[in-house]
Amino acid sequence: MQNFLSGTIDITGYKKTIDNLIKKSKPANLKYQSTKGKNSKQYFIKNLSKIEKISKDIQFFLNKKLNLINAWTVYGGEGSYHTIHRHNEKHYPHLATVIYLKVPKKESGDFTYVLNENYDFITPKEGDIFVFPIDMIHGTYPQGKGLRQTLNLDFEIL
């Protein structure tokens, strides 16, 4: 996949599922993550089988057979952002996805990306899903007040 795809999916129950999964987890050390801002927390989802329904929803949305290889959620408050990054420097038959579970009403922090030497950005809404090659450069602008929560999933294309 050499394209960027955006759409909207039904996220009913996703936020509750993810919030319950990470209740007793410790947030990741953000020093080595793209997640930044004093009001940011990132949690890795270790038991991928617990989000199998979400994985299947995405496979249905994309009409592709995929294998979930990595998952995490990010909670961002005022001033939170993601530095420009990519999930892997080498192109593998892998996809990255970002699903917006919660978005502040104002100044949600645009999702920005570079693909095929073109720069663009999107102002996300709840339920938005962005799908892109795992090596695509992307990040977010700092957000205003409120909570932004994303669910980030990396897949191998089967």
Side-chain angles (χ1 to χ4, degrees), residues 5-6 8 13 16 23-24 29 35 42 48 62 95-96 100-101 118 123 133-134 136 144 153 155-156:
L5 173 69
S6 65
T8 304
K16 184 177 180 181
K23 266 185 183 169
K24 296 180 181 176
N29 180 346
T35 301
Q42 180 172 321
L48 298 179
L62 294 173
L95 298 175
Y100 282 81
L101 303 180
N118 295 313
T123 302
I134 201 150
M136 185 185 83
L153 307 167
F155 292 93
E156 173 186 21

Side-chain angles (χ1 to χ4, degrees), residues 21-129:
L21 275 175
I22 58 114
K23 266 185 183 169
K24 296 180 181 176
S25 301
K26 291 183 180 179
N29 180 346
L30 297 182
K31 182 177 180 180
Y32 302 107
Q33 305 300 323
S34 65
T35 301
K36 302 297 178 196
K38 67 179 183 177
N39 297 313
S40 296
K41 291 185 179 172
Q42 180 172 321
Y43 296 87
F44 289 99
I45 299 167
K46 304 216 185 297
N47 189 342
L48 298 179
S49 66
K50 298 285 185 178
I51 57 171
E52 187 173 331
K53 182 202 177 301
I54 296 171
S55 175
K56 286 184 179 186
D57 288 351
I58 294 168
Q59 290 180 67
F60 180 78
F61 173 78
L62 294 173
N63 194 27
K64 289 190 179 292
K65 280 195 96 160
L66 304 169
N67 178 43
L68 181 61
I69 55 175
N70 204 5
W72 63 101
T73 192
V74 176
Y75 296 87
E78 185 175 5
S80 298
Y81 64 99
H82 294 273
T83 58
I84 294 294
H85 67 284
R86 61 177 114 205
H87 296 190
N88 198 311
E89 290 183 22
K90 296 180 181 175
H91 183 74
Y92 295 106
H94 293 171
L95 298 175
T97 65
V98 178
I99 303 169
Y100 282 81
L101 303 180
K102 183 79 176 147
V103 178
K105 293 191 188 307
K106 295 181 181 180
E107 301 175 48
S108 59
D110 290 339
F111 178 89
T112 183
Y113 63 97
V114 178
L115 184 64
N116 303 325
E117 299 181 23
N118 295 313
Y119 164 85
D120 207 349
F121 65 91
I122 299 174
T123 302
K125 299 179 303 299
E126 285 182 23
D128 279 355
I129 181 171

